[in-house]
Every structure is written in C-alpha cells, then in structure tokens.
Amino acid sequence: MPHLSTGDLLRQGIEEKRPICLQAKEYMDSGSLVPDGLMIEIFQERLSMPDCQIGFILDGFPRTLQQAENLDRLLEKLMLPLDCAFYLAVPDNVIIERLSGRLSCSDPKCGAIYQSQTTPPKVSGICDICGSPVQQRPDDKVEVVAERLKAYKRSTEPLIEFYKTRGTLREINGNRNPNEIYADIVKNLPVK
Ligand code: AMP
C-alpha cells in the first residue's frame, strides 16, 4: 500500500520547483500549516494516481477539520472507507527533543531518518544507507518546532474527538521505542 506523507509530497514538490508546492514553502518554513485549499489540491492529485486505488496509508493528512471533512467526501466517492485513525500520543517535551535532534538524508529517494542522541548515523553527517549527507530540516529548528506544536494544538488536536466520535480512533502510546510502537500499531490494525 502506498504511504502518502503530505510533508514528503510538499518537500519533493519544492525540490522539483512545482509552483503549487513553492506556494507552501513559506508556511512550512515558519512552522504554520499550509492553507487547506492548497493541501486538498495537492492531496487529491496524488490520490487519483493508479497505485492508490487499492488503498493507502495517510501520514500527516488530515491536519484540520476541513481537511478531514473533505477526506470523508473523497473516500465516499472512491468507495474506500477509512479503516482507522492512529493517534500516537507523545508529551510535548519529548516531541521537542526528538524533532530538534532529527537528521534526514538529503536524498529524498532515500529518505532515511536519524536522531542525533538515540540513533545517529555510523559516520557523523553521512547516511548509512546511501552515503549522502544528512541534514536538519529547516523546520526542525527548536523555535520552529514550538510553532508547529502551537499549530497542532490549534488545528489538529480537535481531530482526536472527530475520529473518536466515528469510532475509528486508535490511541497508541508513542513515548516508547519504535519497535514497541510498531508492534502496537500492527496489533491494532483492523483485520480484513
Ligand atoms: P511533516 O513532514 O508532516 O512534519 O510536515 C511538514 C510541514 O508541511 C508542516 O509543518 C506543514 O507546514 C506542512 N504540512 C504537511 N502536511 C500538512 C497538512 N495536511 N496540512 C497543512 N500543512 C501540512
């Protein structure tokens, strides 16, 4: 199943100088959410590609109530009901620590992620997998992370209630190591 990360879609589009994604850059750099109209356009375009017809995993979308309502309508049209929404709960101080130490491979085709404290690359500054330099995302600077958290609380947190009401929310304790979180997600996936 394709993994659709709207953040990755935007960063890739900026790299390729796509005008619609370039419009999003200033919002991303300041830690704000990209306006719903732009996001929905970018997202719908990706969703209409053939690989998505069997289903998909959404990562970072929806992030506002308007996006969630739009997604509902779209999935109804596609006759692809949403199976579940995972909420990975992590305390703010842990989020700040994790993101401000995150290092991403500069080659978007590789996309490997490291953490300077817990999982640094074997050779400092170099990706273990493809040998490209690793770098800090501009929006992982601590002051931008604080803005992103504010945007999350204002616009995204209400989605917890939205999906709880629909009975699709699965809350996962995200303050553990990745293997434990992964196992818990797998355990909570609806069986088809
Ligand atoms: P991420 O890689 O998921 O952390 O996203 C990085 C940035 O991209 C966010 O801080 C937003 O500026 C923008 N972004 C990604 N997904 C969305 C979305 N669904 N709605 C609005 N902005 C988004």
Side-chain angles (χ1 to χ4, degrees):
M1 245 183 220
H3 161 214
L4 308 187
S5 151
T6 40
D8 284 350
L9 280 179
L10 289 166
R11 282 183 289 277
Q12 193 183 336
I14 291 169
E15 191 85 1
E16 291 165 1
K17 304 211 168 13
R18 294 190 56 202
I20 187 166
C21 295
L22 288 174
Q23 284 182 61
K25 188 172 171 2
E26 62 174 301
Y27 298 98
M28 294 171 78
D29 288 347
S30 68
S32 327
L33 290 181
V34 174
D36 286 332
L38 261 184
M39 272 328 294
I40 290 166
E41 206 180 318
I42 292 169
F43 180 74
Q44 289 194 1
E45 185 189 287
R46 178 64 187 90
L47 216 61
S48 63
M49 293 182 182
D51 62 334
C52 289
Q53 307 319 307
I54 52 154
F56 36 79
I57 297 166
L58 302 177
D59 171 4
F61 191 95
R63 257 159 147 130
T64 65
L65 284 171
Q66 200 190 327
Q67 291 178 14
E69 281 157 5
N70 188 274
L71 177 67
D72 265 0
R73 287 194 290 275
L74 201 69
L75 294 180
E76 207 172 300
K77 241 197 296 175
L78 296 170
M79 291 191 295
L80 278 174
L82 189 80
D83 295 322
C84 57
F86 284 103
Y87 164 41
L88 274 64
V90 180
D92 287 1
N93 62 318
V94 178
I95 290 180
I96 294 171
E97 242 169 65
R98 281 188 188 169
L99 291 195
S100 56
R102 176 163 66 176
L103 297 167
S104 312
C105 176
S106 56
D107 181 350
K109 286 192 289 299
C110 172
I113 306 278
Y114 302 90
Q115 217 285 342
S116 56
Q117 300 301 315
T118 53
T119 50
K122 290 192 187 91
V123 178
S124 171
I126 301 293
C127 176
D128 294 350
I129 297 167
C130 73
S132 304
V134 296
Q135 59 193 18
Q136 185 183 47
R137 266 170 50 176
D139 61 343
D140 280 344
K141 291 199 182 75
V142 73
E143 60 282 8
V144 186
V145 172
E147 285 309 311
R148 287 162 65 194
L149 269 176
K150 277 191 216 154
Y152 169 79
K153 298 221 186 288
R154 204 169 40 237
S155 308
T156 310
E157 211 164 51
L159 293 183
I160 297 173
E161 217 33 61
F162 181 90
Y163 286 114
K164 215 181 246 175
T165 310
R166 282 167 166 65
T168 41
L169 192 84
R170 307 277 186 278
E171 180 166 344
I172 303 285
N173 173 6
N175 194 13
R176 294 177 292 171
N177 73 50
N179 291 339
E180 286 176 277
I181 298 169
Y182 175 76
D184 208 2
I185 291 176
V186 171
K187 204 169 73 193
N188 277 280
L189 277 174
V191 182
K192 285 216 156 169

